[in-house]
Amino acid sequence: MSSHTGKFDEYGGQYVPEALMPAIEELEDAYERYVLDNEDGFMDEFRQRLADFGGRPTPLQRADRLSERYDAEVYLKREDLLHGGAHKLNNALGQVLLAKYMGKDRIIAETGAGQHGTATAMACAHLGMPCEVYMGRRDINRQRPNVFRMRLNGAEVTPVTVGRGTLKEAISETMRDWAENVEDTHYVIGSVVGPHPFPAMVRDFQRVISEEAREQTREKAGRLPDSVLTCAGGGSNTMGLFAEFVDDESVDLYAVEAGGSSLEVDEAEGVAPNSATLSTGTEGILHGSRTRILQDGDGQIMESHSVSAGLDYAGVGPELAALVDRDRVTAVNVGDDGALAGFHRLSQLEGIIPALESAHALGYVEDHHEELGEVILVNVSGRGDKDLETVLEETHDRDIEGAPDMDTFESTGGF
Amino acid sequence: MSRIAEAFADGPAFVPYLAAGDPDYESSLAYVEALERGGADVIELGLPFSEPIAEGPTIQSAIVRALEAGMTPTRYFEFVEDLAVDVPLVCMTYYNLIYQFGEGGGPDDFVRRAAEAGIDGFVVPDLPAEEAEPLREACDEHGCELVFIVAPTTRGERLERIMSQVSGYVYVQARLGTTGARTNLSDRAAESLERVAEWDVPKAVGFGISTGEHAQRVVEAGADGVIVGSALVDIVAQGVERGDPAVTVASRLEGKARELKAGALRGASGNERPHPERT
């Protein structure tokens, strides 16, 4: 779909305060010149830095025990092995480098799970740019290791206390900072959301995932996969993994959303106990673009929920919304329990502790592998170190298959 | 001549803002009415949206209070109908609320209902001129004005685009950033005013104006009107914090409105020295 117009069918566009429009236009121009046309060798430098600093390409691993369990060929794209432990570095490095090419001298970002903030802080340290990261108070509490990592890399972490203190409030706060400091500051949006050119630009920085995965599957499986699955919150790893497969009609694409505790919504309270925007959201305008959003009948944005902070967002990328409307991408969802089970299963069967985000995709494969064909590609978008405290807490009171008995540790004084 | 044009016709206009329903429906009615008694010529009445990205902390808190007290688009129109004021009213809100209202999947239902209730125009901070065509058409259809904001960063083709769409008045943003009272008013107001000097709509300056002296200075710089939000919302917030009766808060709002209106008038007369500011 179009990179130039900023529209993906009826989705996309630029819905931002006037003060930001000149910055958006400047960014649009920089995106076209440096990213699309490789002016001044920008993309060459980006790819070189992704290799040397980021550790690309990441491996495609055949998951032997999962393959046996499902009687299929299951391949894992190991974005958890990228520097920083998640796919987020691809985009953060791209945007911070672009900001340097544009002559900006300050970076701001927002973060939910902390992975994007961490990646941005690392990219800023690597490229010598000052960095401020906005993060909801609630997310700060549930993602403490990442907060520390950001600080270690020299970033300021600013808590956002309004609302419920999660990602959507942090995004609004970062937009306010940008409106105030737009002349020298670049806002590194962490997903394929926001006003044009962000959705197209972030996808293009993440596209490297599918460029590699497509070739690697051909080499290892001898053909393209039958199905490609990944988790979908805002949708950056989703679009990154799907981008090069969109034209391969034989490949089924599954965006696995957070079903949370239920798909039902409480309109009166304005609360959706899930973050399944593609499955249950409706068209509207949020944070700069027209897309699918979780909203009540009046158009007020709902509080979303997921056990995974990284998926806990009321919007989704406009291009992904359009691909779902066109039936090119199938939107499915897995609840908190299924994700936790997926987390423990991958840890125990393959020795990989995945991010809770990725665990949603693994949860879907468990229940639906018979429909997914013989060659299944799953993105492990990040590693789960940041989620250990959450998983310990959330697993404790539930009956999750394969989970170790945590009481044993507690009664003997912990680790 | 439209009601908004009339309001700007007799010298500098004072355009206050309050969020409808802050902190509750009945008090808010009294507060808006107090602004008219204090000299408001046009009132910008906020319809609260849950993600007010163009607002600073003061107005954001007002929006949270109003939402918690049950303000919705439907209640907002009832609120407008219940208001006993004669001055023109401009609805300030975000595009998603306009777009979602009614059955149409577009702005028409919202604008029709707003016009019926007595709204004269709209300011929609997250709707740039590029995306505004459907709302522009609905406003033309129902006889409403569509006010656009010109920022200190707005230049060149963007100015042309906004000029071709704007009606009622142009909202000249005095400085970068979000809404909020400031002690120093940027010189950029004058710069921004210069860029729209030739436009054939009144120029109202907003963002950061909190005292009569500020109001005087922006009118001296060439503004046809002054827009004041956060300094008034602060008075509401203080009332909530201290638990003051609504009548006391209304009287403070009326006093502040008088100060701001008097400042604007002084700016137009151009020969009086500024008075020491009251707080």
Side-chain angles (χ1 to χ4, degrees):
Chain A
M1 275 180 269
S2 174
S3 290
H4 289 278
T5 65
K7 300 276 167 136
F8 305 101
D9 300 336
E10 74 265 41
Y11 299 115
Q14 296 171 321
Y15 296 85
V16 293
E18 174 57 31
L20 293 179
M21 282 303 293
I24 299 271
E25 287 178 343
E26 186 189 352
L27 184 63
E28 213 177 320
D29 178 60
Y31 165 58
E32 286 174 14
R33 283 165 49 203
Y34 296 119
V35 180
L36 298 182
D37 297 340
N38 192 29
E39 193 174 305
D40 297 340
F42 171 84
M43 285 303 282
D44 302 328
E45 180 175 351
F46 169 56
R47 285 172 188 278
Q48 192 61 48
R49 287 182 186 275
L50 271 184
D52 296 346
F53 175 67
R56 297 213 76 93
T58 60
L60 182 81
Q61 179 200 348
R62 184 181 188 278
D64 292 337
R65 295 183 68 195
L66 283 184
S67 296
E68 194 180 326
R69 183 179 178 95
Y70 302 139
D71 193 21
E73 297 281 303
V74 179
Y75 290 92
L76 304 176
K77 179 61 175 165
R78 297 290 307 276
E79 288 300 291
D80 59 313
L81 292 178
L82 189 65
H83 177 48
H87 72 288
K88 294 286 185 184
L89 183 71
N90 302 320
N91 168 51
L93 189 63
Q95 285 198 49
V96 176
L97 188 63
L98 188 66
K100 273 196 95 102
Y101 273 59
M102 291 169 72
K104 301 283 177 185
D105 53 27
R106 174 176 176 255
I107 294 292
I108 53 172
E110 88 313 296
T111 196
Q115 285 302 109
H116 170 60
T118 301
T120 306
M122 289 188 314
C124 284
H126 173 63
L127 291 164
M129 284 277 246
C131 176
E132 181 167 357
V133 180
Y134 290 90
M135 188 167 183
R137 169 61 70 188
R138 180 183 153 92
D139 288 339
I140 285 181
N141 292 338
R142 58 180 173 171
Q143 301 290 342
R144 286 159 44 84
N146 270 339
V147 175
F148 190 48
R149 289 209 291 170
M150 286 182 261
R151 300 295 305 274
L152 286 173
N153 282 310
E156 283 298 317
V157 179
T158 306
V160 178
T161 52
V162 295
R164 210 168 56 109
T166 60
L167 182 59
K168 82 181 169 67
E169 288 85 11
I171 292 177
S172 295
E173 200 59 33
T174 317
M175 285 208 167
R176 291 192 186 100
D177 180 314
W178 202 27
E180 190 130 2
N181 302 293
V182 64
E183 287 160 308
D184 63 3
T185 298
H186 175 69
Y187 173 13
V188 180
I189 289 186
S191 194
V192 288
V193 300
H196 175 68
F198 283 103
M201 181 175 73
V202 176
R203 173 205 62 207
D204 287 347
F205 287 139
Q206 293 291 359
R207 181 189 292 275
V208 62
I209 304 173
S210 54
E211 283 170 359
E212 288 174 10
R214 194 170 180 281
E215 282 318 299
Q216 289 167 323
T217 319
R218 279 193 151 155
E219 279 165 28
K220 296 210 163 176
R223 65 179 181 88
L224 291 178
D226 294 310
S227 51
V228 170
L229 297 94
T230 191
C231 61
S236 74
N237 91 87
T238 331
M239 282 312 305
L241 183 65
F242 290 172
E244 293 290 314
F245 289 109
V246 166
D247 293 335
D248 296 321
E249 286 177 10
S250 66
V251 180
D252 294 332
L253 306 175
Y254 291 88
V256 187
E257 299 194 287
S261 56
S262 164
L263 286 187
E264 301 297 318
V265 298
D266 183 342
E267 279 244 352
E269 287 296 310
V271 174
N274 62 72
S275 306
T277 317
L278 293 165
S279 312
T280 66
T282 49
E283 188 193 345
I285 293 126
L286 175 64
H287 292 142
S289 67
R290 180 186 298 262
T291 183
R292 294 258 203 111
I293 56 182
L294 296 174
Q295 59 185 330
D296 68 14
D298 288 331
Q300 304 288 5
I301 307 308
M302 292 215 179
E303 299 292 352
S304 57
H305 162 79
S306 169
V307 68
S308 161
L311 300 181
D312 195 349
Y313 179 54
V316 68
E319 184 174 15
L320 194 49
L323 288 169
V324 169
D325 276 9
R326 289 183 186 185
D327 290 330
R328 180 63 193 96
V329 169
T330 306
V332 295
N333 60 82
V334 164
D336 291 344
D337 287 1
L340 287 163
F343 179 96
H344 289 295
R345 192 179 310 110
L346 195 72
S347 302
Q348 300 211 345
L349 291 184
E350 300 288 349
I352 300 167
I353 298 175
L356 267 174
E357 290 88 334
S358 316
H360 286 76
L362 296 155
Y364 190 80
V365 178
E366 172 77 6
D367 293 337
H368 299 270
H369 56 88
E370 284 168 4
E371 305 147 30
L372 299 177
E374 290 166 20
V375 178
I376 302 168
L377 169 63
V378 187
N379 199 27
V380 181
S381 59
R383 68 178 187 225
D385 306 41
K386 68 183 171 62
D387 295 318
L388 295 182
E389 266 187 60
T390 305
V391 172
L392 183 60
E393 198 178 296
E394 295 283 343
T395 305
H396 187 266
D397 299 325
R398 302 174 197 232
D399 183 20
I400 302 293
E401 186 194 337
D405 178 5
M406 292 303 170
D407 286 340
T408 313
F409 298 105
E410 282 167 16
S411 61
T412 56
F415 293 97
Chain B
M1 192 185 272
S2 77
R3 276 162 50 84
I4 291 177
E6 280 170 18
F8 277 89
D10 300 326
F14 167 49
V15 185
Y17 164 97
L18 281 179
D22 170 31
D24 62 77
Y25 191 93
E26 291 299 328
S27 307
S28 186
L29 283 173
Y31 297 167
V32 177
E33 288 163 4
L35 295 177
E36 189 188 39
R37 288 197 301 278
D41 299 292
V42 175
I43 295 173
E44 288 185 357
L45 193 57
L47 163 57
F49 177 53
S50 57
E51 316 301 314
I53 56 172
E55 317 295 351
T58 304
I59 291 179
Q60 187 186 20
S61 301
I63 283 170
V64 170
R65 287 192 296 269
L67 286 173
E68 283 176 355
M71 185 48 73
T72 64
T74 304
R75 283 293 274 164
Y76 178 86
F77 294 131
E78 291 164 7
F79 184 91
V80 172
E81 285 163 343
D82 286 346
L83 268 178
V85 297
D86 289 328
V87 297
L89 295 171
V90 171
C91 169
M92 185 159 184
T93 193
Y94 288 76
Y95 195 50
N96 198 46
L97 296 189
I98 295 176
Y99 183 79
Q100 301 298 343
F101 189 81
E103 302 298 321
D108 196 70
D109 287 346
F110 186 92
V111 176
R112 183 190 312 115
R113 178 71 186 94
E116 275 168 20
I119 291 289
D120 297 89
F122 300 90
V123 188
V124 188
D126 66 341
L127 190 69
E130 285 78 357
E131 309 281 0
E133 195 53 42
L135 182 59
R136 173 77 267 167
E137 285 171 13
C139 284
D140 291 346
E141 170 79 23
H142 301 289
C144 290
E145 313 282 10
L146 185 53
V147 174
F148 281 91
I149 297 173
V150 166
T153 45
T154 310
R155 296 265 189 307
E157 279 179 24
R158 295 204 51 74
L159 279 173
E160 303 284 316
R161 210 172 286 148
I162 295 170
M163 189 177 73
S164 70
Q165 296 246 28
V166 71
S167 63
Y169 54 95
V170 55
Y171 187 141
V172 179
Q173 188 177 327
R175 55 167 176 74
L176 279 178
T178 51
T179 55
R182 294 289 196 281
T183 46
N184 293 314
L185 196 64
S186 159
D187 294 339
R188 300 185 83 164
E191 268 176 54
S192 297
L193 273 168
E194 211 167 292
R195 286 204 298 277
V196 298
E198 301 301 313
W199 294 19
D200 64 355
V201 288
K203 293 95 193 163
V205 172
F207 276 50
I209 296 168
S210 62
T211 67
E213 191 199 344
H214 291 159
Q216 176 179 346
R217 277 169 40 207
V218 298
V219 172
E220 280 170 352
D224 303 305
V226 291
I227 303 171
V228 181
S230 297
L232 299 164
V233 171
D234 271 338
I235 293 173
V236 176
Q238 279 169 12
V240 170
E241 213 170 283
R242 297 176 191 161
D244 292 333
V247 63
T248 310
V249 177
S251 146
R252 282 187 205 130
L253 284 166
E254 186 180 333
K256 188 71 184 175
R258 282 188 202 290
E259 174 199 328
L260 291 157
K261 173 73 181 179
L265 289 171
R266 277 201 308 278
S269 66
N271 49 20
E272 278 184 55
R273 303 291 303 161
H275 297 289
E277 296 305 333
R278 287 172 291 173
T279 50

